[in-house]
Amino acid sequence: MRSSRLWPVAAALILAVTLALVPSGVLAQSSDPVRAGTGMVVSESWIASEAGRDVLAAGGNAVDAAIATGFALAVTHPSAGNIGGGGFMVIRFPNGQTTAIDFREKAPLASHPEMWLENGEYSAERHHRSHWAVGVPGTVAGFDKAHSLYGDMNWERIVYPAVVLADDGFVLSDRLSGSLSRFALTDGRPAATVAQFSNGGTAYAAGETLRQTDLGRTLKRIMLDGRDGFYRGETARLLVAEMERAGGLITAADLEIYEARERVPVTGYYRGYEVISMPPPSSGGVAMVTMLNMLERFDLASFGHNTAPYIHHLSESMRRAFRDRAQFLADPDFVDVSVHALTSKEHAAELGNDIQSDRATPSGVSDIPMGYESPETTHYSVVDGNGMAVSVTYTLEGGFGTGIVVPGAGFLLNNEMGDFNAGPGLTNDRGLIGTSPNLARPQQRMLSSMTPSIVARDGRLVAVVGSPGGRTIINTVMQVILNVVDFGMNIQEAVNAKRIHHQWLPDRIGIEADGASAETVRLLEAMGHTVQVGGGQGTAHSIMIDPRTGERLGAADPRNPDAGARGH
Ligand code: DON
């Protein structure tokens, strides 16, 4: 299908040279972003950022670079980078117009609301870890759609770096070799998973090279045949064979009819800034705009960053927006979601009306509890030389998804069906949720929290932001934006700063380790909050535009040392 077959040789040379060099961008210092005059990519893997940056340098636009980065992450960041999962892409064009690509997984045709019941009992194993937990993957269709609508560069050139990374391999870091060995050598992993991520059953050490030749062959089919290289032919055959072998639900028909959708982003306005984010089937954009609308009437800067009154007001807005999330949000192709009403200033005024300055509002026991979500996904940000901005968050849901590699095809299957509710009426005090909108139905997309976002002001691009981390995503992204808007931090400081999380239920504030003093915690407790300090929230690889010089400022989150901001 796609044009010229000659460029791969040239591209291989360029990539080989690039990989042989010391990383060209300078890694971010503690509070200094990486500066570049033209384009920037920031992702969870510096190797993938370089693949995207090279596409920009070769004349591709931000959509081309985002696709190249996404395919490269499927090789170099296997716990969440993927072709077997799904996600969202938010785009802002240089003229200020915006759009969003929804490539969230879909429930297979054989799905039904009671599918997580086994002999009448809810089965978490089936819901989150079985072949039934696999949603019809959307990533390749999403990238294909984004490219055909808005890409500039030859598709083969964009996919090729990922093929080379899979075939020739890349050198494992300390962090990745450790995470792969913990994952692949856990008892009970399928043989194809052990084969792909260990050295014949022995853990890879840091400094060794990981080659993924089955994945390389699949990526080559995608490179040559685009969408059909995944949803038809050999890749589809291998995926369906694995489903048939293990009693999974995805059929050739499910793959054939999968479609990514273009959607209208959610847009909100906060202190003069335009905040553009993902609409349903993500809850992220709606919930974040609802929170910002509630917070706008408080002088947050006067509270001081991460002080007790600041954390209190954030938590109060968070608990209210997450209550809305559980009650109203789901796939808009199946459920009527009033995005406009939920993100209106009037709704926020009503919702935030009873926020008191010094008392926590308890999340009542009869309110809607939340289900399980794991903390593994990945976000990356791209800006090109023309000011086109792309914000992508995509996921396998759990770390390494189901943990099942499709034999012969070399990619991991997601467990995204776990984001559907447990079953009709199955709301209970152990955290299951059984409300109707987000039940599994054939072809429905499961509700997400992913919040790829872009900020603009007076018609100019300001920042590209996003994060992994289940429901913490929404709060992480909002706090990076507040750090810039209310506290005047530079983008690296805004990303580095400690974050907090509240999600209605369980009714407690989570604060990252060292994120608040003992006195702050005591003051919050005196207001009636339960506070838990410790652990970390998701990364937030972001880009900001220097308003003075127009330079791209890349902020890789130091929470992951393998991350990298690469510009040119
Ligand atoms: O779509 C969602 O919201 C979840 N499946 C995302 C999972 C996640 O973020 C795990 N992350 N790090």
Side-chain angles (χ1 to χ4, degrees):
M1 56 181 271
R2 325 244 170 189
S3 55
S4 154
R5 306 284 156 123
L6 291 178
W7 64 268
V9 176
L13 284 172
I14 293 166
L15 193 79
V17 169
T18 305
L19 289 176
L21 293 173
V22 175
S24 56
V26 179
L27 281 179
Q29 300 299 303
S30 60
S31 60
D32 284 334
V34 172
R35 288 179 175 266
T38 309
M40 177 69 70
V41 182
V42 192
S43 83
E44 206 77 71
S45 151
W46 65 263
I47 302 171
S49 299
E50 294 204 341
R53 186 273 316 272
D54 291 348
V55 161
L56 290 179
N61 68 17
V63 167
D64 299 321
I67 297 167
T69 306
F71 280 124
L73 282 166
V75 181
T76 62
H77 183 58
S79 64
N82 70 80
I83 55 174
F88 305 118
M89 176 184 288
V90 174
I91 305 170
R92 183 179 184 277
F93 300 95
N95 67 4
Q97 290 188 335
T98 61
T99 191
I101 308 291
D102 168 7
F103 52 99
R104 182 72 162 166
E105 299 92 325
K106 284 182 149 197
L109 290 163
S111 308
H112 57 89
E114 297 182 351
M115 64 191 288
W116 313 119
L117 304 181
E118 213 170 339
N119 304 320
E121 287 290 310
Y122 169 73
S123 165
E125 177 67 26
R126 180 183 283 186
H127 193 188
H128 295 288
R129 290 178 283 278
S130 72
H131 281 71
W132 283 29
V134 185
V136 181
T139 297
V140 176
F143 287 173
D144 179 89
K145 188 168 192 94
H147 182 255
S148 59
L149 291 172
Y150 304 114
D152 259 358
M153 193 180 236
N154 178 295
W155 170 262
E156 294 175 355
R157 165 67 184 90
I158 295 170
V159 186
Y160 190 72
V163 174
V164 175
L165 286 165
D167 277 354
D168 293 357
F170 65 99
V171 175
L172 290 167
S173 66
D174 269 316
R175 187 176 203 263
L176 186 52
S177 59
S179 120
L180 285 184
S181 64
R182 281 189 300 278
F183 161 63
L185 301 178
T186 297
D187 283 349
R189 291 286 178 225
T193 302
V194 178
Q196 177 136 344
F197 295 115
S198 71
N199 197 353
T202 304
Y204 279 113
E208 289 191 289
T209 296
L210 175 68
R211 292 189 180 80
Q212 301 169 81
T213 48
D214 285 345
L215 178 60
R217 274 189 285 275
T218 297
L219 286 166
K220 233 170 273 166
R221 290 191 286 273
I222 294 167
M223 178 178 83
L224 295 174
D225 295 331
R227 183 192 188 289
D228 287 354
F230 186 87
Y231 294 90
R232 291 180 170 169
E234 181 66 359
T235 314
R237 190 188 66 72
L238 291 165
L239 199 166
V240 171
E242 170 62 11
M243 288 288 145
E244 285 172 352
R245 186 198 63 75
L249 301 181
I250 296 175
T251 62
D254 282 307
L255 296 173
E256 184 68 38
I257 62 178
Y258 180 87
E259 264 192 307
R261 296 274 318 251
E262 185 168 27
R263 299 197 188 271
V264 178
V266 169
T267 301
Y269 295 88
Y270 178 71
R271 303 195 204 281
Y273 288 82
E274 184 185 357
V275 178
I276 302 139
S277 192
M278 194 64 208
S282 181
S283 61
V286 169
M288 181 168 67
V289 170
T290 306
M291 293 191 286
L292 289 171
N293 285 342
M294 274 185 271
L295 289 171
E296 201 173 31
R297 75 184 163 94
F298 301 107
D299 183 1
L300 297 180
S302 74
F303 295 148
H305 190 256
N306 282 1
T307 58
Y310 179 67
I311 293 173
H312 167 70
H313 284 84
L314 256 58
S315 304
E316 290 299 303
S317 74
M318 288 168 180
R319 76 166 81 231
R320 286 163 174 77
F322 274 82
R323 172 75 171 72
D324 269 12
R325 174 193 190 276
Q327 194 169 0
F328 300 117
L329 298 179
D331 183 350
D333 294 341
F334 283 73
V335 174
D336 202 9
V337 183
S338 306
V339 170
H340 185 70
L342 290 170
T343 56
S344 68
K345 299 281 183 197
E346 293 73 27
H347 178 65
E350 209 172 296
L351 209 57
N353 189 30
D354 61 346
I355 295 179
Q356 298 176 57
S357 61
D358 56 356
R359 289 306 306 161
T361 318
S363 302
V365 284
S366 61
D367 289 311
I368 298 164
M370 307 292 189
Y372 157 98
E373 265 181 355
S374 94
E376 267 297 344
T377 292
T378 190
H379 171 80
Y380 57 99
S381 301
V382 182
V383 174
D384 69 18
N386 292 324
M388 181 191 247
V390 178
S391 190
V392 179
T393 314
Y394 74 153
T395 186
L396 291 165
E397 160 49 16
F400 301 96
T402 51
I404 300 164
V405 166
V406 175
F411 65 90
L412 281 156
L413 292 169
N414 69 80
N415 60 338
E416 216 76 55
M417 295 286 281
D419 280 356
F420 279 119
N421 292 349
L426 273 188
T427 303
N428 71 17
D429 58 8
R430 296 191 306 280
L432 291 188
I433 179 165
T435 48
S436 171
N438 186 39
L439 289 172
R441 300 179 182 90
Q443 293 282 290
Q444 184 161 335
R445 291 178 154 98
M446 53 299 282
L447 183 64
S448 173
S449 298
M450 292 187 284
T451 315
S453 302
I454 296 173
V455 182
R457 188 184 176 114
D458 301 330
R460 294 164 65 152
L461 177 65
V462 172
V464 186
V465 189
S467 175
R471 275 160 289 170
T472 67
I473 291 172
I474 310 170
N475 293 333
T476 293
V477 175
M478 180 177 78
Q479 285 167 87
V480 174
I481 293 173
L482 294 178
N483 290 346
V484 169
V485 171
D486 290 76
F487 294 95
M489 293 185 196
N490 77 33
I491 192 68
Q492 190 69 57
E493 293 165 334
V495 164
N496 294 1
K498 299 290 181 182
R499 325 196 218 280
I500 71 126
H501 176 66
H502 195 298
Q503 59 176 43
W504 184 257
L505 288 170
D507 186 355
R508 68 162 177 258
I509 302 173
I511 303 178
E512 285 190 302
D514 302 322
S517 66
E519 176 61 7
T520 298
V521 173
R522 195 191 62 72
L523 289 170
L524 287 166
E525 287 172 344
M527 292 181 202
H529 291 287
T530 299
V531 183
Q532 197 173 56
V533 183
Q537 250 169 256
T539 50
H541 308 303
S542 304
I543 300 175
M544 197 163 163
I545 306 301
D546 186 324
R548 207 172 43 82
T549 63
E551 281 172 300
R552 283 67 172 119
L553 310 176
D557 196 318
R559 287 168 181 80
N560 177 4
D562 289 346
R566 293 292 186 269
H568 78 107

